[in-house]
Amino acid sequence: MSHSAVSQAAAVSVPIGNERSLSRSVFKQNNSISFNSKPWSSSLALNQKTTITRDAKRYTSTTICMSVQQTSSSKVSVSPIELEDPKDPPLNLYKPKDSYTAKIVSVERVVGPKAPGETCHIVIDHDGNLPYWEGQSYGVIPPGENPKKPGAPHNVRLYSIASTRYGDFFDGKTASLCVRRAVYYDPETGKEDPSKNGICSNFLCDSKPGDKIQITGPSGKVMLLPENDPNATHIMIATGTGVAPYRGYLRRMFMENVPNFKFGGLAWLFLGVANTDSLLYDDEFSKYLKDHPENFRFDKALSREEKNKKGGKMYVQDKIEEYSDEIFKLLDNGAHIYFCGLKGMMPGIQDTLKRVAEERGESWDLKLSQLRKNKQWHVEVY
């Protein structure tokens, strides 16, 4: 997810979108991660046979295709476990004037042909030098000079990280971003105006394996996953690439074998996108639904394919209204609720929650202040 008005983004990974094949990454040499008995995919689902080389001296990873249905539900080993040791999240290890030079591992389109716009899953190799926690963001400084400040670099664009602290290769050396290419169309001519396109999102989506990228951060504490109660309820609401941090949460909850975090609560994801081709991580989320029906719920709002009860387009707030009684009861019992995505989603959601609260004879303003006071309310919109 991008937190800049200029570029919109977020993160994607394995298994992805509507792809029906998974790629599996097998490491050689001394890597402590073995996938022989862990059939989860750790690189993106690809249409063609691919070999990704990450620093030839360190790893090579070969793509092996297999269907989601064939994978077992055993969890993946992760390392280094020392990433669990710090009591506080890493913050601003690298600043704009002293950014970290990372490498692009892969860039893959992760939406179908009928999706409006293009969204890419981008894996970045930070070699373990830029650790982060789930729910944090990286800053990206695109190459070139700032047109508003000749001679100065571009401003930093923030993107929510879409992987766990162990990354898509489960070795603590990569991070993933889910980036929607920001394209501007002239309202009068209807034609694309490249001079007004999102600088950073286009740089990221056009990147090639091996390209260098300047990173700052990590930043952010608002969207950190509270883990003091492993049986808590987490209600996650996203539009588009705002699903990025939730992908990290869910991989940590259901995919990775993390010794000190055994999730036994409820994770409930609401995702709003335009159509089926726009769904992000759908195979991955669907697998959690199949393997953990007691602990995961997944509701989609497809605005161009579904109607709400009033006959209008189905947006994420309509889904929230549909389950409002249940959501309010869960909040009353201490559930955490998260919002991530375009800024424009919040007014509609707030209006819906206010209306539902009033129908229940409650004051929404009072309830909201209580949720904030209890640290149950987490919002990051862009």
Side-chain angles (χ1 to χ4, degrees), residues 26 36 275 296 342:
V26 183
N36 293 333
N275 55 22
F296 183 53
L342 289 172

Side-chain angles (χ1 to χ4, degrees), residues 6-294:
V6 184
S7 65
Q8 303 169 4
V12 191
S13 161
V14 195
I16 297 213
N18 301 310
E19 296 284 355
R20 293 298 165 195
S21 65
L22 289 178
S23 59
R24 174 176 168 191
S25 173
V26 183
F27 295 109
K28 67 170 186 176
Q29 299 173 346
N30 300 322
N31 197 304
S32 61
I33 305 166
S34 166
F35 288 95
N36 293 333
S37 60
K38 309 291 186 188
W40 280 98
S41 161
S42 67
S43 76
L44 290 169
L46 306 177
N47 289 325
Q48 68 276 16
K49 292 182 180 177
T50 300
T51 299
I52 300 171
T53 303
R54 292 185 56 213
D55 188 344
K57 293 180 181 177
R58 236 182 31 216
Y59 313 112
T60 60
S61 108
T62 310
T63 308
I64 300 172
C65 291
M66 59 185 183
S67 73
V68 179
Q69 288 73 18
Q70 290 171 324
T71 65
S72 79
S73 57
S74 59
K75 290 191 173 185
V76 180
S77 297
V78 292
S79 71
I81 292 303
E82 289 75 31
L83 289 175
E84 301 293 324
D85 291 348
K87 296 288 186 287
D88 296 303
L91 283 171
N92 302 314
L93 302 178
Y94 288 88
K95 298 188 168 69
K97 289 184 179 177
D98 181 28
S99 59
Y100 179 76
T101 304
K103 285 182 187 174
I104 298 287
V105 176
S106 60
V107 178
E108 299 297 333
R109 178 187 169 104
V110 291
V111 290
K114 294 180 183 176
E118 180 180 27
T119 301
C120 294
H121 178 77
I122 298 161
V123 182
I124 297 166
D125 182 353
H126 60 75
D127 202 22
N129 295 317
L130 238 175
Y132 56 89
W133 283 10
E134 299 73 23
Q136 288 192 300
S137 300
Y138 270 174
V140 177
I141 305 173
E145 65 174 40
N146 191 330
K148 294 179 181 177
K149 297 177 184 175
H154 283 290
N155 293 334
V156 173
R157 269 71 165 186
L158 289 175
Y159 293 88
S160 295
I161 299 170
S163 46
T164 72
R165 65 193 72 184
Y166 298 101
D168 282 7
F169 295 91
F170 310 108
D171 64 351
K173 296 185 188 302
T174 68
S176 298
L177 305 180
C178 178
V179 180
R180 176 165 173 158
R181 187 190 291 274
V183 180
Y184 177 84
Y185 291 94
D186 186 288
E188 291 184 9
T189 64
K191 291 181 179 178
E192 182 184 341
D193 182 351
S195 68
K196 294 182 181 177
N197 286 350
I199 292 167
C200 199
S201 65
N202 281 272
F203 158 67
L204 288 167
C205 290
D206 289 334
S207 295
K208 302 288 185 293
D211 285 356
K212 291 182 178 178
I213 176 174
Q214 299 305 124
I215 304 286
T216 68
S219 64
K221 295 172 83 170
V222 171
M223 295 293 283
L224 292 176
L225 181 66
E227 297 187 359
N228 54 326
D229 178 8
N231 298 317
T233 294
H234 303 274
I235 302 165
M236 300 163 279
I237 297 158
T239 55
T241 55
V243 79
Y246 309 143
R247 180 186 181 252
Y249 298 172
L250 295 169
R251 284 171 81 92
R252 188 162 171 84
M253 290 170 177
F254 301 125
M255 186 187 287
E256 297 178 343
N257 183 20
V258 182
N260 61 334
F261 182 59
K262 305 295 183 188
F263 183 67
L266 172 66
W268 191 354
L269 174 62
F270 291 86
L271 175 59
V273 292
N275 55 22
T276 304
D277 271 21
S278 303
L279 287 167
L280 302 170
Y281 312 116
D282 199 47
D283 284 346
E284 194 166 325
F285 298 154
S286 297
K287 176 156 176 53
Y288 301 150
L289 206 54
K290 177 174 172 284
D291 292 343
H292 305 276
E294 301 300 314

Side-chain angles (χ1 to χ4, degrees), residues 286-334:
S286 297
K287 176 156 176 53
Y288 301 150
L289 206 54
K290 177 174 172 284
D291 292 343
H292 305 276
E294 301 300 314
N295 303 98
F296 183 53
R297 292 174 67 171
F298 182 25
D299 283 278
K300 310 165 194 178
L302 308 177
S303 62
R304 298 189 186 180
E305 293 179 3
E306 299 174 323
K307 301 288 186 190
N308 61 25
K309 64 183 182 183
K310 294 176 183 172
K313 290 182 177 182
M314 174 69 82
Y315 292 113
V316 73
Q317 61 262 33
D318 299 309
K319 280 289 176 187
I320 292 169
E321 186 170 19
E322 199 177 310
Y323 293 101
S324 56
D325 275 348
E326 204 172 347
I327 289 170
F328 270 68
K329 284 173 186 171
L330 289 169
L331 291 173
D332 289 342
N333 288 324

